[in-house]
Amino acid sequence: MNLKYKYAIMIIGDLKMNIRIGVSARHIHLCESDFKKLFGSDKALTKHVDLTQPGQYACNEKVNLITEKGKIENVRILGPLRDYTQVEISKTDSYSLGLNPPVRKSGDLKGAENIKIEYLGNIIEVKECCIIADRHIHITYDDLDKYNLKDNQIVKLKISSEKGAILENVKVKASKEAFFEAHIDLDDANANLVKNGDYGEIIYE
Amino acid sequence: MNLKYKYAIMIIGDLKMNIRIGVSARHIHLCESDFKKLFGSDKALTKHVDLTQPGQYACNEKVNLITEKGKIENVRILGPLRDYTQVEISKTDSYSLGLNPPVRKSGDLKGAENIKIEYLGNIIEVKECCIIADRHIHITYDDLDKYNLKDNQIVKLKISSEKGAILENVKVKASKEAFFEAHIDLDDANANLVKNGDYGEIIYE
């Protein structure tokens, strides 16, 4: 029996901060080259709706993801085009596709899974593009001090719901322009009964 | 800005216990009457494989779940037959079925969702049967003292993985016969990258 008692006198610094939660469903970012291969060189992304992060938007255009094991249809493209193509799926999605994508921050794609992307019969295979996005917090460099955070700091995110959890390994991701928000994926959201736009609490440790 | 500093000197009682994690995929329990309506009065459940809880087994028989919005095929029956029919799905499943099932312990079905169950063209509609199972710990009455737990106590379950979390609202569920194990659903497992048979840690608070 692995029973362990630890009694200690500790000084606790307990600092809490509410933060809006953004839930990321599966989506794809495309580089210009891959976009042209799929959609043709005379086509451009068209905006469906703005996202909370400045300059980012959901597009009307959707693609299909294809592996040897499965297919997921109608995966929305997020704009604008980036320097790299990146597919972000959940662990649940990965089982239906037969993939084992690593948990990564955006753009860190070495060792990511390969995947085929299809639009109206045009198919491209993109190497090292498919990840499970890490839990992260968007914040401006200017706001780091205000919220007592450091770029790349790992914090926890408390979610209060009928199930409830404290999510670990939430990485602070500062940029020049950002909307202060914690991004989690759909598995995290469904497991803990939260929705896009709900609020959580940063736990600083 | 909701910023709150609390500094305190506290005495911490930190008691930890490793526990095996059982991951419950969607499944169904049937009462004898509903089983007969679906399979006929001369049929019996057949065992596919024993489960960890004594006397419980996965059956070879599977059914389809049907709602106005969707259908989930090949949902495994768990045996033996019970006094009530109960469908246990995840929040992710609930979206594809267009349902909003409550989070409940087994058998607590008042206000649960209605659902249609199909086997080879036989369809029954069962009222108040579909839930999201609560997170719970199976333990014998005899072991409660040994593990410093009380029946119906709410504890937390720490999961260590690349994502990691402390799951809240995990209810102790004692019975005469039980295998000591924490049951979580597939959303919890996928969100936190754990599998059936992995170990977590009970956090007593």
Side-chain angles (χ1 to χ4, degrees):
Chain A
M1 196 171 87
N2 180 16
L3 189 57
K4 195 171 54 168
Y5 286 87
K6 282 195 305 183
Y7 287 91
I9 295 173
M10 295 177 68
I11 295 178
I12 306 296
D14 179 8
L15 171 60
K16 291 176 180 176
M17 171 63 67
N18 290 332
I19 185 169
R20 190 179 188 277
I21 294 172
V23 177
S24 297
R26 73 178 77 99
H27 64 269
I28 180 168
H29 305 276
L30 286 170
C31 70
E32 187 171 0
S33 164
D34 287 339
F35 177 76
K36 285 185 173 171
K37 285 179 198 158
L38 288 167
F39 288 84
S41 55
D42 56 345
K43 187 93 163 57
L45 287 175
T46 61
K47 187 187 293 186
H48 169 63
V49 64
D50 280 317
L51 301 177
T52 51
Q53 294 308 313
Q56 303 293 305
Y57 52 91
C59 301
N60 294 305
E61 291 76 19
K62 297 174 182 178
V63 296
N64 301 326
L65 306 179
I66 301 172
T67 62
E68 281 185 20
K69 190 181 172 193
K71 182 175 183 176
I72 295 180
E73 298 187 320
N74 297 317
V75 176
R76 199 177 285 278
I77 302 174
L78 300 193
L81 295 173
R82 292 192 176 185
D83 293 338
Y84 51 87
T85 290
Q86 178 171 288
V87 176
E88 297 177 42
I89 63 175
S90 68
K91 190 70 185 173
T92 300
D93 291 336
S94 79
Y95 287 119
S96 66
L97 292 173
L99 299 178
N100 187 22
V103 178
R104 290 288 177 75
K105 71 173 185 179
S106 215
D108 180 9
L109 296 174
K110 189 160 173 58
E113 286 277 27
N114 310 330
I115 204 160
K116 285 181 179 151
I117 302 165
E118 178 197 18
Y119 178 73
L120 293 183
N122 288 343
I123 299 179
I124 58 172
E125 178 165 13
V126 183
K127 303 282 188 191
E128 296 190 318
C129 72
C130 180
I131 62 171
I132 294 171
D134 65 354
R135 298 162 177 163
H136 59 270
I137 287 173
H138 287 283
I139 187 171
T140 62
Y141 291 115
D142 288 346
D143 278 346
L144 284 169
D145 275 355
K146 174 176 160 187
Y147 292 110
N148 199 30
L149 293 168
K150 289 187 171 52
D151 196 16
N152 295 314
Q153 184 181 351
I154 305 293
V155 296
K156 295 176 182 175
L157 176 68
K158 180 172 171 63
I159 291 178
S160 297
S161 70
E162 197 176 347
K163 289 178 79 178
I166 295 170
L167 305 185
E168 300 185 332
N169 296 308
V170 184
K171 194 168 194 176
V172 176
K173 185 177 171 181
S175 53
K176 199 174 166 192
E177 293 197 309
F179 178 76
F180 185 55
E181 189 174 58
H183 280 194
I184 60 176
D185 72 12
L186 198 55
D187 278 350
D188 280 330
N190 287 349
N192 300 297
L193 309 180
V194 291
K195 289 189 175 171
N196 195 52
D198 285 348
Y199 277 75
E201 199 175 80
I202 297 175
I203 297 180
Y204 301 73
E205 282 186 85
Chain B
M1 198 168 86
N2 179 15
L3 190 58
K4 192 172 57 168
Y5 286 88
K6 281 198 303 184
Y7 286 93
I9 295 174
M10 295 176 69
I11 295 179
I12 306 295
D14 181 5
L15 170 61
K16 289 177 181 178
M17 171 63 66
N18 289 332
I19 185 168
R20 189 179 188 277
I21 293 172
V23 178
S24 298
R26 71 178 79 99
H27 64 268
I28 180 169
H29 305 277
L30 286 171
C31 68
E32 188 173 356
S33 162
D34 287 339
F35 176 75
K36 285 185 174 172
K37 285 179 200 159
L38 288 167
F39 287 84
S41 55
D42 55 345
K43 187 93 163 56
L45 288 174
T46 62
K47 188 187 289 185
H48 170 62
V49 64
D50 280 317
L51 301 176
T52 52
Q53 295 308 311
Q56 302 294 303
Y57 53 90
C59 301
N60 294 306
E61 291 75 20
K62 297 174 181 176
V63 296
N64 301 325
L65 305 179
I66 301 172
T67 62
E68 280 184 21
K69 189 181 173 193
K71 182 175 182 175
I72 296 180
E73 298 187 323
N74 296 316
V75 176
R76 199 177 284 279
I77 301 173
L78 301 193
L81 295 173
R82 293 193 177 185
D83 292 338
Y84 51 85
T85 290
Q86 178 172 288
V87 176
E88 298 178 40
I89 64 173
S90 68
K91 191 69 186 173
T92 299
D93 292 335
S94 80
Y95 287 120
S96 66
L97 292 174
L99 298 179
N100 185 23
V103 178
R104 290 289 176 79
K105 71 173 183 178
S106 217
D108 180 11
L109 296 173
K110 189 159 172 59
E113 285 276 27
N114 309 332
I115 204 162
K116 285 181 181 152
I117 303 166
E118 179 197 17
Y119 179 72
L120 293 184
N122 288 343
I123 299 178
I124 58 172
E125 177 164 14
V126 183
K127 302 282 185 190
E128 295 190 320
C129 72
C130 181
I131 60 171
I132 295 171
D134 64 355
R135 300 162 175 162
H136 59 271
I137 287 173
H138 287 284
I139 186 169
T140 63
Y141 291 117
D142 288 347
D143 279 348
L144 284 169
D145 274 356
K146 175 176 161 188
Y147 292 110
N148 199 30
L149 292 168
K150 290 185 172 54
D151 195 17
N152 294 314
Q153 184 181 349
I154 305 294
V155 297
K156 296 178 182 177
L157 177 68
K158 181 173 170 62
I159 291 178
S160 297
S161 70
E162 196 176 350
K163 290 177 79 180
I166 295 170
L167 305 185
E168 301 184 332
N169 296 309
V170 184
K171 195 168 194 176
V172 176
K173 184 178 170 178
S175 51
K176 199 174 167 193
E177 294 196 306
F179 178 76
F180 185 54
E181 191 174 59
H183 279 195
I184 60 175
D185 72 11
L186 197 56
D187 278 349
D188 281 330
N190 287 347
N192 299 298
L193 308 179
V194 290
K195 288 188 175 171
N196 194 52
D198 286 348
Y199 278 75
E201 200 175 79
I202 297 174
I203 297 180
Y204 300 73
E205 281 185 270

